[in-house]
Amino acid sequence: MKLAVAVHFDGAQANAAAVAFDAWDAAEATKMHVSRIAHVETAARGEIDLRQLPCVMQLLREHGLAPELILFEGFVHLDADEAPGLGQHLFNALGGKVPVVGVSKKSLPGLSAQVEVMREEEAPPLWVTCAGIDIGAAKARLRAMHGRKRVPTLMKLVARLAKNPD
């Protein structure tokens, strides 16, 4: 099982959501999970925002999830020199055993054009960074995901679920 995960913050609280899927071209999730986090620390000014990390870890523990891969909106690496982003910290927290793929709608300065993925001809690209999986394989799998628009269907679903879990 693969998981698309998202975290939505509401003040000092958060919702962490996951949608499970088996096939990359799946149009629907096989299962959905939500964890409510009562208190999330404020991000430290001037440092990388890692507030999502404990939320995702709690989600995995709370629901007994052992995915073969995690997909999230964000960055695994922050530049071409592979400065660690949230995804690299998640990969490390999982013991380097679960590949992590970060997908972003925005680029960062210093990212290589090599991480761009076009899903729709006239739409801007997505930027893909990863750990534990080859970048070419990650890009191919993202291209194969269901959805006619720029952002895959399951990534839209998990973002909505984190924002509105009820």
Side-chain angles (χ1 to χ4, degrees):
M1 147 196 71
K2 295 167 254 318
L3 285 181
V5 300
V7 177
H8 176 75
F9 296 100
D10 185 12
Q13 300 176 343
N15 294 319
V19 297
F21 60 101
D22 294 315
W24 283 100
D25 61 350
E28 296 180 5
T30 56
K31 282 197 165 191
M32 295 188 282
H33 308 276
V34 175
S35 291
R36 298 176 199 278
I37 294 88
H39 180 74
V40 178
E41 296 294 325
T42 307
R45 190 170 272 206
E47 293 182 23
I48 182 173
D49 186 355
L50 297 176
R51 294 177 301 155
Q52 292 183 45
L53 181 59
C55 299
V56 171
M57 296 303 289
Q58 179 177 326
L59 173 79
L60 297 175
R61 277 191 313 275
E62 196 173 293
H63 297 281
L65 301 173
E68 65 188 59
L69 180 138
I70 294 177
L71 179 73
F72 77 104
E73 184 175 334
F75 294 96
V76 175
H77 301 113
L78 303 176
D79 57 28
D81 294 330
E82 298 190 354
L86 173 65
Q88 183 66 53
H89 289 277
L90 177 59
F91 180 72
N92 294 343
L94 295 170
K97 296 177 182 166
V98 179
V100 175
V101 177
V103 179
S104 180
K105 295 180 269 186
K106 298 178 183 177
S107 182
L108 288 175
L111 278 180
S112 161
Q114 191 176 29
V115 300
E116 290 181 13
V117 173
M118 299 298 291
R119 281 191 34 97
E120 193 176 81
E121 280 186 36
E122 295 181 15
L126 293 171
W127 285 268
V128 177
T129 53
C130 55
I133 183 173
D134 176 74
I135 185 67
K139 289 168 62 173
R141 287 176 175 96
L142 181 68
R143 275 191 214 99
M145 289 187 79
H146 182 271
R148 294 182 315 158
K149 300 289 183 181
R150 180 179 179 212
V151 177
T153 302
L154 294 177
M155 290 191 73
K156 289 179 183 176
L157 174 63
V158 76
R160 280 193 310 268
L161 184 61
K163 192 170 186 178
N164 302 304
D166 299 319

